[in-house]
Amino acid sequence: MTHDHDLVLRPTDAQIEAALNPPAGRTGGDLVVETLSGLGATTVFGLPGQHALGMFDALRRSSLRYVGLRAENNAGFAADAYGRITGEAAPLLLSTGPGALMSLAALQEAAAASAPVLAIGSQVPAAGLGGGRHGYLHELRDQQASFRDVVKSVHTVRTQSQIPSALAAAWESALTAPHGPVWIEIPQDVLLAPTALPVVTAMDAGPEDLAPRPELTALAAHLLATAERPVIVAGGGVVRSDASGKLRALAERLDAPVVTTFGGKGAFPWEHPLSLRSWLEDRHTTDFLEDADVLLVVGSGLGELSSNYHTFAPRGRIVQIEADAGKLESNHPALGIHADARLALQALLETVPERRDPTAPERVAAVLAKVGERIEAQGLGLEEGLVAAVREALPDRAPSFWDMTILAYWAWSAFDARHPNTMHSAQGAGGLGYAFPAALGAAVAEGGPVLAVSGDGGAMYSIAELATARQYDLDVTWLIVDDGGYGILREYMTDAFGEATGTELARPDFVALAESFGVPGVLTSPETLAADLAKSLAAPGPSVVVLPARLRMFAPTHL
């Protein structure tokens, strides 16, 4: 009997000839770029450094598109966004020591948001590995240790023959649910040494399916079908697994209201009669979720932001579908189903019967009305108007990337992301400086227009990337809300301590600064924001729109 695993593909005569006579002038760096091409990569991000030059030299002999940013953390944010937009692993080429360490903040965000990033760093020569200090430039005692707590997996190469297998294993890890960043490091001498190994051809490194256990989905289907007040919480896992269509089908079959987390923006239509939208920092929404007798949580760990800062106290049964095993029941007891959201939702659709509840849209409308009345009573017309202006100016399918700024905090709850995978923010890890370099990565992935939104504090992290935007002529419009400091921290400190310390900032004339990079800039106002943004988004190439405004956050209802 012949089994599939017994079958070995025999090389053709042409393949044998090519293997026996590889082209001259190749190095270990060529094996890296050949493997990336063989895995299906078309674009790489990064920043060159002394130990990594073998990889960068090899790029000129490859068909890979290289996009270089001005700082490694920004290159990581760009790769993160490329991975989110395309669903493909985004290669990120880095140097040793300081260059590698500069990427950690970006890789933490990619890990928190399940963005597939293939970070490939160089290392000191192989003889220097294994502890001890040899006096090499950039040397760390244990470079891997700096990444192990951040990434999904770590892969070390010591010889050229290990390069294809290590990259393939890392690629598979990055794309297996939950997606995430991985780390590969290759010594300088391995990258620089000439190689006689054959040219790497197409490789099969597809991710493994993470399917749900059938007895668990059968029980979940029973709980949902017999529930009186089922509610669905849709998290970022729904977006990452491209499962929004299945989510909608299940919600409509059950007549179950749906709330999307901040990471799950766009997973469910905003204007749908069953849509509770994303008002997770609102006690009316929290009360509604607590009243559910069965709460289906898909692709969310119900962490700090998704649980209204851990004030959520469910009274009913929770069914939690989550690809990250560490997040299963991490905050609340549940029927935990370790699975990819798409596969689990498909299993439920094949199992659960229809359930009709004509009162569901009325109950949803009542909650949204209470939220609206609360916001209106706080006199926040400026902030509401700015969210509406951005929505008016931004094409429906254009991606937007938001830094940790007050307007982004508003957008988490109040912005209508009209399609899945179009609204992204740094709320996974919460670092500053994400929006603009991430928007550049998205523009590399699919062209423009793309919107980035930052405060003046966060914008200063990424100013250098205006040169990148101009160099590659990327269609990104950067909205900078200038309130003279770290606005959200100012508000937090004032509320907690009566006054703020360390939050006020000197800053440049952002319009003039942008223009010094050859990037058009415009000073706008709340009244003209929609028109100015729309004009900038419609124009080819990069642009900057500066809005001087001091915004306030809405206050939640009292517990």
Side-chain angles (χ1 to χ4, degrees):
M1 180 181 294
T2 300
H3 299 281
D4 288 345
H5 60 262
D6 293 326
L7 298 176
V8 178
L9 294 176
R10 297 185 178 278
T12 65
D13 290 344
Q15 288 173 323
I16 293 172
E17 176 66 21
L20 293 175
N21 297 283
R26 293 163 61 247
T27 65
D30 288 274
L31 295 174
V32 173
V33 298
E34 290 166 6
T35 302
L36 291 176
S37 295
L39 289 167
T42 58
T43 303
V44 300
F45 298 87
L47 203 69
Q50 178 177 317
H51 293 138
L53 294 181
M55 289 189 292
F56 285 83
D57 176 65
L59 285 173
R60 65 185 173 88
R61 294 186 289 277
S62 80
S63 60
L64 293 173
R65 179 187 184 187
Y66 170 66
V67 179
L69 285 92
R70 299 306 196 268
E72 287 84 358
N73 63 317
N74 292 332
F77 287 140
D80 165 303
Y82 186 94
R84 296 192 200 195
I85 293 295
T86 64
E88 303 167 2
L92 172 64
L93 306 186
L94 301 166
S95 190
T96 317
L101 296 178
M102 277 284 287
S103 73
L104 281 170
L107 295 179
Q108 184 188 5
E109 178 59 41
S114 297
V117 176
L118 196 76
I120 307 172
S122 58
Q123 251 292 15
V124 299
L129 298 179
R133 298 193 63 81
H134 297 265
Y136 289 112
L137 186 69
H138 307 326
E139 183 181 5
L140 291 166
R141 286 190 296 271
D142 185 358
Q143 185 169 273
Q144 290 183 31
S146 298
F147 291 84
R148 195 170 285 113
D149 187 48
V150 175
V151 299
K152 281 187 68 179
S153 58
V154 170
H155 309 259
T156 302
V157 168
R158 290 180 179 269
T159 67
Q160 290 183 341
S161 62
Q162 295 174 356
I163 289 174
S165 295
L167 291 181
W171 185 274
E172 182 176 326
S173 175
L175 290 174
T176 296
H179 294 174
V182 295
W183 173 254
I184 310 103
E185 57 183 37
I186 309 173
Q188 177 189 30
D189 52 339
V190 174
L191 291 170
L192 290 175
T195 186
L197 291 171
V199 174
V200 182
T201 55
M203 304 180 69
D204 183 10
E208 297 180 7
D209 287 337
L210 185 58
R213 287 165 45 201
E215 72 274 15
L216 296 181
T217 53
L219 177 55
H222 171 74
L223 292 172
L224 290 166
T226 57
E228 293 184 7
R229 298 176 308 283
V231 180
I232 299 173
V233 175
V238 176
V239 177
R240 296 280 76 75
S241 63
D242 192 21
S244 57
K246 296 185 185 300
L247 171 70
R248 178 173 181 171
L250 182 64
E252 292 176 345
R253 181 172 295 185
L254 294 169
D255 269 346
V258 178
V259 61
T260 56
T261 71
F262 304 151
K265 297 285 290 187
F268 194 75
W270 190 258
E271 299 291 348
H272 194 287
L274 294 172
S275 176
L276 281 163
R277 303 182 177 177
S278 303
W279 291 98
L280 286 168
E281 293 186 72
D282 184 282
R283 194 62 214 177
H284 296 307
T285 301
T286 307
D287 290 343
F288 189 88
L289 295 177
E290 290 178 348
D291 188 53
D293 58 342
V294 176
L295 187 69
L296 174 63
V297 181
V298 189
S300 171
L302 290 181
E304 181 180 26
L305 296 180
S306 301
S307 63
N308 203 351
Y309 300 93
H310 295 302
T311 63
F312 171 55
R315 294 188 292 273
R317 186 80 179 267
I318 296 179
V319 177
Q320 185 185 15
I321 296 168
E322 175 58 57
D324 186 342
K327 293 181 180 177
L328 276 178
E329 301 189 69
S330 60
N331 289 297
H332 298 280
L335 172 64
I337 301 177
H338 183 216
D340 175 78
R342 182 181 180 86
L343 297 178
L345 288 172
Q346 179 61 40
L348 289 176
L349 282 169
E350 293 171 355
T351 310
V352 73
E354 283 196 8
R355 174 193 170 278
R356 297 275 67 93
D357 181 2
T359 70
E362 298 171 11
R363 291 187 290 121
V364 167
V367 173
L368 293 178
K370 290 178 182 177
V371 172
E373 290 167 3
R374 180 179 68 82
I375 297 295
E376 186 176 354
Q378 295 182 29
L380 297 165
L382 169 64
E383 291 78 4
E384 289 184 282
L386 294 180
V387 174
V390 174
R391 179 65 279 172
E392 178 186 341
L394 188 67
D396 284 0
R397 292 190 177 274
S400 61
F401 292 82
W402 304 70
D403 227 325
M404 298 293 284
T405 187
I406 289 180
L407 189 58
Y409 282 46
W410 269 91
W412 290 347
S413 294
F415 188 76
D416 174 8
R418 292 180 179 159
H419 293 277
N421 208 28
T422 57
M423 180 180 172
H424 305 271
S425 69
Q427 58 92 21
L432 279 177
Y434 172 78
F436 188 54
L440 298 180
V444 170
E446 63 174 28
V450 182
L451 175 67
V453 181
S454 299
D456 58 288
M460 291 301 293
Y461 280 66
S462 311
I463 287 295
E465 304 310 336
L466 284 168
T468 303
R470 184 73 281 165
Q471 180 172 343
Y472 296 99
D473 202 28
L474 298 173
D475 292 331
V476 175
T477 292
W478 192 7
L479 171 60
I480 300 174
V481 182
D482 184 359
D483 67 358
Y486 299 120
I488 193 67
L489 298 178
R490 176 196 290 138
E491 188 156 316
Y492 285 164
M493 293 189 76
T494 302
D495 289 346
F497 309 116
E499 60 181 292
T501 302
T503 60
E504 306 314 298
L505 301 173
R507 66 273 190 208
D509 178 335
F510 285 107
V511 172
L513 183 60
E515 290 175 344
S516 75
F517 284 91
V519 174
V522 62
L523 189 67
T524 191
S525 67
E527 295 75 24
T528 60
L529 176 61
D532 288 336
L533 261 188
K535 183 178 179 181
S536 293
L537 286 161
S543 56
V544 170
V545 177
V546 180
L547 172 67
R550 190 152 175 166
L551 309 183
R552 293 188 295 141
M553 274 300 295
F554 54 83
T557 51
H558 295 295
L559 298 179

